[in-house]
Amino acid sequence: MSRRAARLALGIVLAAAVVTVPAAVTSPPAEAGCRPALKALTLSRSSVVGGASTTATVTLTCRTPRRTAVRLWASTGIRVPAYVYVSTGRSTAKVTVRTSPTAVRSSGRVKAVHRQVVRRAALVRSVTPCHPTPVPTAVALPSYVHAGQAATGTVTLDCVAKTSLAVGLTSSSSWVAVPGSVTVAAGRRTASFKALTKAPSVGSLPAFAVTIRATRNQKSAARVMQVRPEIRPFRAGDRFTVDEPVLTPEGSDGWVRGTLRITLDHPAPAGGLVVNGSVIAEGETSTEATIYHHPYPADSRVTDHLIITTNPSSGSGDVLVREEFTYTVRPAP
């Protein structure tokens, strides 16, 4: 074999021995083809006490291939950084939203902007306790009291007083007196006061409602209390009313029977009263007494006697009132 032929054969053998290894095939990352847009802006809490914080989350439509800046803006009283940055390969980013203390409930917004797309989220700031100073939030009183009695009231502040504080008090009625102010001691939230009700020297007051208001730093709280007629002994000048009775036949001997409802202008005192044989219990104002006539009165106006005594079961049965009164009767339909 010639030298040239040998070289050709060796080249063929070496060519056959070479193994071709293809290059590794790799796919581009998903975010490489993404053009992220602003999808949403959410808050972890949509309502906070003024001065508290919440968290805002910015969400893009896909994982961003590079660090992306989203511009932020907020209403007065709400603070956010100028930008929040979404990291490479991520679609969300979080940022702290801070609020300022407030003396009134306030609504505002947080806004995110990216590539002319705007997303908004509402945020409410509720009143900050003790800002700028404690104020009354409640007044407690009994639901009712009788004229002439005293009621104990309580004023509550929105937080503990660091120093002694005076809270102003007012009453809507001249028949109920309250002190001009009550002092809440340092380290306390509440203070008590007395509301003194008055009763007329003659007659009796009808029931009425009174509003007691506590005010400090232009903030106030109020409570309504009912003042009922006083509970005291029946006396000269006190009045009563008698409803018209309806008379109906009683048996076959010509008697007719009816019921009188007698109402006093103030509640019966301790032990109650007896009115024409019927008892008005303590604190009550009326009773019903049965009447009989024979025959049926020819005139619709009838004169009778009213006797009011103390209750013999709890006293001596002294006669307090003995007088005549006139009422109108009507036959049963």
Side-chain angles (χ1 to χ4, degrees), residues 41 52 55 171 254 258 261 296 316 318:
L41 170 66
T55 300
S171 167
R261 184 173 180 83
Y296 182 84
S316 59
D318 296 334

Side-chain angles (χ1 to χ4, degrees), residues 1 4-19:
M1 177 184 295
R4 184 176 180 182
R7 289 178 180 175
L8 180 60
L10 179 60
I12 294 173
V13 172
L14 292 176
V18 174
V19 178

Side-chain angles (χ1 to χ4, degrees), residues 23-322:
V25 179
T26 58
S27 300
E31 57 267 23
C34 170
R35 182 177 173 81
L38 183 57
K39 180 179 180 181
L41 170 66
T42 57
L43 298 176
S44 59
R45 290 187 297 167
S46 60
S47 178
V48 297
V49 175
S53 301
T54 185
T55 300
T57 301
V58 170
T59 303
L60 303 179
T61 54
C62 60
R63 296 177 183 273
T64 178
R66 64 185 61 84
R67 187 169 183 253
T68 300
V70 177
R71 186 168 179 80
L72 297 177
W73 173 92
S75 303
T76 302
I78 304 172
R79 302 188 306 278
V80 294
Y83 290 91
V84 59
Y85 295 92
V86 182
S87 301
T88 301
R90 304 295 298 271
S91 61
T92 62
K94 297 181 183 295
V95 65
T96 299
V97 179
R98 294 178 171 83
T99 65
S100 301
T102 178
V104 296
R105 179 183 171 87
S106 175
S107 297
R109 292 185 302 175
V110 178
K111 181 170 68 175
V113 182
H114 178 63
R115 290 181 177 171
Q116 298 183 334
V117 176
V118 180
R119 296 290 182 260
R120 298 176 177 87
L123 179 60
V124 175
R125 291 184 299 151
S126 57
V127 175
T128 308
C130 285
H131 176 75
T133 182
V135 293
T137 56
V139 175
L141 284 165
S143 58
Y144 72 90
V145 66
H146 288 281
Q149 297 178 341
T152 299
T154 302
V155 173
T156 301
L157 301 179
D158 61 346
C159 65
V160 174
K162 294 181 180 180
T163 60
S164 294
L165 300 174
V167 178
L169 295 174
T170 58
S171 167
S172 64
S173 172
S174 60
W175 291 98
V176 181
V178 294
S181 65
V182 62
T183 299
V184 182
R188 303 292 300 272
R189 285 188 63 194
T190 62
S192 297
F193 64 92
K194 291 290 185 181
L196 303 177
T197 64
K198 296 182 291 184
S201 57
V202 177
S204 183
L205 286 174
F208 65 93
V210 60
T211 300
I212 306 300
R213 186 175 300 277
T215 304
R216 187 174 190 279
N217 200 34
Q218 300 183 336
K219 299 293 181 180
S220 66
R223 178 67 182 267
V224 176
M225 178 177 67
Q226 185 185 51
V227 180
R228 298 179 179 179
E230 63 180 317
I231 297 178
R232 57 168 174 74
F234 200 86
R235 63 193 182 197
D238 290 341
R239 303 308 306 155
F240 60 88
T241 57
V242 180
D243 293 349
E244 297 179 357
V246 174
L247 299 180
T248 57
E250 176 77 9
S252 57
D253 54 2
W255 284 88
V256 290
R257 177 175 59 87
T259 300
L260 282 177
R261 184 173 180 83
I262 302 168
T263 303
L264 306 179
D265 66 352
H266 69 86
L273 295 173
V274 176
V275 181
N276 282 21
S278 298
V279 174
I280 298 181
E282 176 182 346
E284 300 297 322
T285 58
S286 63
T287 188
E288 293 183 346
T290 301
I291 57 172
Y292 294 91
H293 288 283
H294 184 272
Y296 182 84
D299 193 339
S300 61
R301 300 289 293 175
V302 176
T303 298
D304 207 336
H305 291 85
L306 178 74
I307 301 176
I308 300 177
T309 68
T310 57
N311 194 342
S313 63
S314 58
S316 59
D318 296 334
V319 175
L320 304 176
V321 175
R322 186 195 301 272

